[in-house]
């Protein structure tokens, strides 16, 4: 079965640079979530999209922005990178129902800021 | 959104049954309880979801008492490969949208 695809899997950037992370949800899923997970920490919700519209916002820094495109893939744009942005970034997708979402997570993008 | 509380860590031995309890005192009427498993450097993986009473699938059981203020994830006969972090999430379509909050999960260590 198709899974969530994230690219790139690894990314190394310098401070103050920009980075773009991509997420391709499972086909027919209409909701995308982004999470940040620092070393030894629990996943922190950043932002979610439903049918290409922003659905909810969590602890996403103002330096970060995201969008969901017409083909449902999503991109997380990160500017003015800081050392503290080094983390695993997960994307998850789900099919919104009347129940709670079952989220399917991608393999993550490991971002290292030097 | 309902806040959840779980034990920080648990130890077990191979072949034992492990029960991880999650407290969610302010669960809303429309909230569901969902458990995820996460291995190091991997994305969380859905284990089980329930609303009330008992739910069972091929990997786990979920017990939810009538007041729904807590839930227990039961892993039968754990193996070394079950060593992971387990997260309890509470939420639903009518409570805070779909802002998913992962609390501090339970780190399960399975020993030989």
């Amino acid at each position: 079965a198709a899974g969530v695809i994230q690219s790139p899997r690894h990314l190394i950037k310098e401070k103050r640079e920009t980075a773009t992370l991509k997420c391709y949800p499972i086909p027919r899923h209409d909701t995308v979530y982004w999470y940040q997970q620092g070393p030894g920490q629990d996943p922190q919700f950043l932002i979610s999209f439903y049918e290409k519209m922003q659905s909810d916002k969590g602890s996403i820094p103002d330096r970060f922005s995201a969008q969901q495109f017409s083909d449902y893939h999503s991109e997380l744009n990160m500017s003015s990178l800081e050392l503290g942005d080094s983390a695993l970034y997960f994307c998850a997708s789900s099919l919104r129902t009347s129940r709670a979402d079952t989220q399917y997570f991608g393999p993550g993008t490991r971002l290292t800021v030097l | 959104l309902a806040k959840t509380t779980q034990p920080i860590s648990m130890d077990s031995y191979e072949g034992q049954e492990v029960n991880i309890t999650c407290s969610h005192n302010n669960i809303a009427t429309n909230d569901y309880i969902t458990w995820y498993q996460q291995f190091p450097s991997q994305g969380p993986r859905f284990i089980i979801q329930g609303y009330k009473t008992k739910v069972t699938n091929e990997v786990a059981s979920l017990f939810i008492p009538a007041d729904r203020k807590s839930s227990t994830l039961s892993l039968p006969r754990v193996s070394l490969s079950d060593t992971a972090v387990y997260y309890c999430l509470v939420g639903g379509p009518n409570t805070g949208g779909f802002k998913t909050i992962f609390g501090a999960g339970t780190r399960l260590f399975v020993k030989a």
Side-chain angles (χ1 to χ4, degrees):
Chain A
V4 175
I5 297 172
Q6 291 187 246
S7 69
R9 294 292 309 277
H10 301 272
L11 191 58
I12 299 175
K13 292 286 186 178
E14 301 277 343
K15 279 196 311 183
R16 294 180 289 279
E17 286 190 321
T18 61
T20 297
L21 279 54
K22 297 184 179 182
C23 170
Y24 298 86
I26 291 172
R28 293 184 296 281
H29 278 192
D30 52 20
T31 305
V32 166
Y33 302 78
W34 284 98
Y35 296 87
Q36 176 192 59
Q37 188 170 29
Q41 297 180 3
D42 303 304
Q44 296 296 310
F45 170 76
L46 293 178
I47 196 167
S48 63
F49 292 87
Y50 169 63
E51 285 291 348
K52 293 156 280 184
M53 299 289 288
Q54 181 180 308
S55 177
D56 286 286
K57 207 169 182 180
S59 51
I60 184 168
D62 292 340
R63 300 177 289 107
F64 294 7
S65 65
Q67 57 182 323
Q68 187 178 29
F69 295 85
S70 58
D71 64 351
Y72 290 91
H73 94 272
S74 179
E75 295 183 3
L76 178 65
N77 298 294
M78 311 159 70
S79 62
S80 303
L81 286 170
E82 302 173 356
L83 296 179
D85 296 329
S86 295
L88 264 171
Y89 289 83
F90 292 108
C91 169
S93 74
S94 70
L95 179 62
R96 188 156 290 195
T97 69
S98 58
R99 299 164 60 103
D101 272 3
T102 295
Q103 296 181 37
Y104 296 85
F105 284 76
T109 294
R110 183 175 295 279
L111 173 66
T112 302
V113 181
L114 302 175
Chain B
L1 290 170
K3 178 178 164 55
T4 60
T5 303
Q6 305 173 227
I8 295 296
S9 66
M10 295 180 67
D11 289 346
S12 183
Y13 289 92
E14 281 190 294
Q16 289 188 333
E17 177 185 74
V18 171
N19 296 307
I20 305 174
T21 297
C22 178
S23 297
H24 29 79
N25 290 320
N26 59 340
I27 188 169
T29 302
N30 296 324
D31 283 346
Y32 284 77
I33 300 153
T34 309
W35 286 80
Y36 288 85
Q37 174 193 55
Q38 187 179 29
F39 299 112
S41 298
Q42 294 185 26
R45 183 176 73 101
F46 171 83
I47 301 175
I48 198 166
Q49 183 181 88
Y51 183 79
K52 62 181 179 180
T53 63
K54 177 183 175 182
V55 179
T56 297
N57 62 22
E58 62 276 9
V59 298
S61 293
L62 178 59
F63 299 92
I64 306 168
D67 66 4
R68 301 197 334 119
K69 293 184 184 299
S70 67
S71 59
T72 299
L73 174 72
S74 181
L75 304 172
R77 296 182 300 281
V78 294
S79 63
L80 296 176
S81 63
D82 292 316
T83 294
V85 180
Y86 293 82
Y87 294 97
C88 162
L89 276 69
V90 172
N94 298 319
T95 52
F98 286 82
K99 179 188 290 187
T100 309
I101 306 298
F102 278 80
T106 298
R107 281 148 179 79
L108 174 65
F109 299 95
V110 180
K111 307 172 189 175

